[in-house]
Amino acid sequence: MVVILAVVAAVPLANYIATSTSRTLFLSRSNDADWFATMAESPLQSGDIANLRELAVRYHELYNTPVFVVDVDRKVVATSRSGVDVKEPDLAAALDSTLAGRLPAEPPALFPWRTGEMVVARPVVNNGRVLGAAVLRVPTEKAREQVQNGLLLLLGGLLISIGAIVIGIVRPITRWVLRPLNDLDNATHQITRGALDTRVSTDGRAPELRRLGDSFNSMALSLHQARQREREFVADASHQLRTPLTSARIHIEGLSRLSPTARFALSDIDRLGRIVQRLSRLAGSDRPGADAESNEEPLDLAQAVKERLVGWKAVYAADDMELIIGEMVPGGVAPELEVDDILDVLLDNASKYGAPPVEVSVTRDGTEVVMSVRDHGLGLGSRDLKKVGERFWRSAHHREMPGTGLGLAIVRSEAARVGGRVVARPPIGGGLVIEVRVPLIDDYDV
């Protein structure tokens, strides 16, 4: 709207600049035409036009403006430039008015896109009788250039005015209009950071923005309530699990001296206890991811693997499968890495889909600690190796076997949680190697 008003105001000014420049040029050359008409009166009566020709030539040279004089029959009697055609439309119209004793109308405004010369004619009169006409063909290049410069100045002023209006009026209005949206944006960021009690004000807002604010507050309230219910459920579940886990541990602890399998079950009970403990911390956390924060010492991956393999050796022995414990290089990793879960998935897969012997090792590779599980089965093709770790993916050779296809996906998720990755590759001699590579903690003291 501001731009439209500015343009509407600028159009009359542009027309004034062009009209004023055109009128000034026309009036100045009209005086010269009157002087020529006066000088031509006597020569047209006497027929002695030699001096009149000289005047026309000198005027042309001085002002770069062609001039000629015609008699009442439109015959050119004196000219500063040859080749005058009085039948040209502009000349003919001007001569019609002038020889009839009337002054021709002012020419149209000289806008830059117009071309051609301005025709200025004045009658040569003696005692009320028209003897002929003095005509000037005035060049308009300079005048049109002046108009163009004036229009450019007007355009510059128009742009400056619009800019000032935008800065002084439109910008504050825009800020005022967008302020509710900025409040919504800030509130969204706060909720993303975990502050689910964040709300936006809807007082004094437009109806549309008020509805948007109410919808946002309803959404935030629903999220807050859902999070609260989740915390309550986790807290109740973890509390209810503590008692049966404690009881099971007491009963199995008495059997652990007699059976390796019982000791393996006891380690599972301990692992469930740690899971319950993490659930308790999660229930009391107000920030996403806060349950992952820990002040525990780094975990020695090699030691954790060796402890878990004690139970698995008994499981493999029961199935007449050979489990080889390879190189075990100490290396500190994040304490929240679920080593038991990862190793359980890898050894279970190796026993179901691979072939003995199965070898487990822990090594270092630069800044990574690598836990490897190798079997001597059929292995996987290059195309299948790229899909290892995808949810619900099963190799074409193993689709008839029981399983969900989620085991390696869980392993990959657990590794990624501490900044690690899973690599599947075919080893020399056949089979399959699954490597879980996790960052080495530099300050770990071996």
Side-chain angles (χ1 to χ4, degrees):
M1 180 61 70
V2 174
V3 175
I4 294 175
L5 292 176
V7 171
V8 170
V11 169
L13 292 176
N15 185 68
Y16 171 78
I17 292 173
T19 303
S20 176
T21 304
S22 176
R23 181 175 293 115
T24 300
L25 179 63
F26 178 74
L27 292 177
S28 65
R29 292 299 183 262
S30 294
N31 293 333
D32 295 344
D34 287 334
W35 180 80
F36 263 102
T38 302
M39 297 300 295
E41 179 182 352
S42 177
L44 285 178
Q45 292 183 80
S46 64
D48 184 8
I49 59 174
N51 291 335
L52 189 59
R53 289 195 184 101
E54 292 179 3
L55 288 174
V57 171
R58 286 202 300 270
Y59 183 85
H60 188 172
E61 292 174 349
L62 182 62
Y63 294 103
N64 190 30
T65 302
V67 59
F68 63 92
V69 179
V70 299
D71 59 15
V72 73
D73 296 323
R74 303 193 183 196
K75 178 182 178 181
V76 178
V77 295
T79 180
S80 64
R81 184 177 65 182
S82 60
V84 177
D85 184 6
V86 296
K87 294 182 180 181
E88 291 181 13
D90 292 346
L91 289 178
L95 289 175
D96 287 342
S97 298
T98 304
L99 294 177
R102 301 189 304 271
L103 294 178
E106 291 185 12
L110 290 174
F111 287 102
W113 53 85
R114 293 187 182 275
T115 58
E117 299 170 325
M118 179 187 293
V119 178
V120 179
R122 286 294 183 270
V124 180
V125 182
N126 178 258
N127 294 327
R129 183 169 63 91
V130 177
L131 302 178
V135 182
L136 276 65
R137 306 193 69 173
V138 182
T140 59
E141 288 81 2
K142 291 184 178 180
R144 284 187 281 112
E145 185 177 351
Q146 292 177 3
V147 174
Q148 179 177 335
N149 293 336
L151 294 180
L152 290 176
L153 290 175
L154 177 62
L155 178 61
L158 178 64
L159 294 177
I160 293 174
S161 300
I162 292 176
I165 292 174
V166 168
I167 294 174
I169 299 178
V170 177
R171 189 175 179 183
I173 292 177
T174 303
R175 286 181 176 177
W176 177 77
V177 171
L178 294 179
R179 186 178 301 164
L181 299 180
N182 291 332
D183 293 343
L184 282 173
D185 181 64
N186 294 332
T188 302
H189 283 293
Q190 292 297 324
I191 288 182
T192 303
R193 295 188 181 100
L196 298 182
D197 56 347
T198 302
R199 302 293 183 269
V200 295
S201 173
T202 59
D203 297 336
R205 303 288 168 84
E208 295 82 1
L209 293 175
R210 192 182 306 118
R211 286 195 296 271
L212 180 60
D214 291 338
S215 299
F216 178 87
N217 289 336
S218 298
M219 178 199 68
L221 178 61
S222 298
L223 287 174
H224 193 197
Q225 292 174 344
R227 182 65 182 274
Q228 194 65 30
R229 287 193 297 269
E230 175 189 342
R231 288 174 178 167
E232 292 173 358
F233 169 78
V234 172
D236 292 343
S238 61
H239 177 74
Q240 295 297 326
L241 285 172
R242 283 194 186 98
T243 301
L245 284 176
T246 302
S247 176
R249 194 182 196 289
I250 293 173
H251 287 86
I252 296 175
E253 195 172 19
L255 300 174
S256 63
R257 300 188 185 94
L258 305 176
S259 170
T261 304
R263 289 195 296 271
F264 188 59
L266 188 60
S267 68
D268 281 341
I269 292 293
D270 291 337
R271 182 156 59 95
L272 286 173
R274 291 194 298 271
I275 293 175
V276 171
Q277 188 176 8
R278 286 198 299 272
L279 286 174
S280 298
R281 289 201 302 268
L282 176 63
S285 172
D286 289 333
R287 295 182 295 109
D291 55 295
E293 295 180 0
S294 175
N295 295 322
E296 300 178 25
E297 293 294 325
L299 174 69
D300 181 0
L301 183 58
Q303 182 62 33
V305 169
K306 286 189 289 186
E307 291 176 358
R308 189 62 179 171
L309 286 176
V310 172
W312 272 104
K313 284 184 69 69
V315 173
Y316 265 57
D319 293 335
D320 294 327
M321 295 181 65
E322 184 180 3
L323 179 61
I324 301 174
I325 301 177
E327 188 178 9
M328 291 287 163
V329 178
V333 299
E336 60 267 21
L337 180 66
E338 296 293 346
V339 179
D340 293 350
D341 292 346
I342 294 173
L343 195 58
D344 289 352
V345 170
L346 297 183
L347 290 176
D348 183 60
N349 282 355
S351 65
K352 289 192 299 185
Y353 309 127
V358 176
E359 182 178 355
V360 181
S361 62
V362 176
T363 58
R364 288 192 188 185
D365 184 7
T367 59
E368 293 180 319
V369 182
V370 184
M371 178 174 64
S372 303
V373 175
R374 177 192 176 174
D375 65 63
H376 289 76
L378 296 176
L380 297 174
S382 58
R383 184 174 299 179
D384 288 342
L385 286 173
K386 297 178 181 178
K387 297 182 179 180
V388 168
E390 293 183 3
R391 290 181 178 272
F392 305 108
W393 176 82
R394 305 287 298 281
S395 170
H397 303 295
H398 306 137
R399 288 176 182 170
E400 301 301 325
M401 301 184 67
T404 62
L406 287 173
L408 289 177
I410 294 172
V411 171
R412 187 174 65 175
S413 176
E414 284 293 328
R417 194 165 59 90
V418 296
R421 56 197 176 100
V422 175
V423 178
R425 61 178 178 83
I428 299 175
L432 178 66
V433 173
I434 302 293
E435 295 179 344
V436 179
R437 294 175 167 265
V438 293
L440 171 68
I441 297 181
D442 294 334
D443 60 357
Y444 177 72
D445 187 12
V446 179

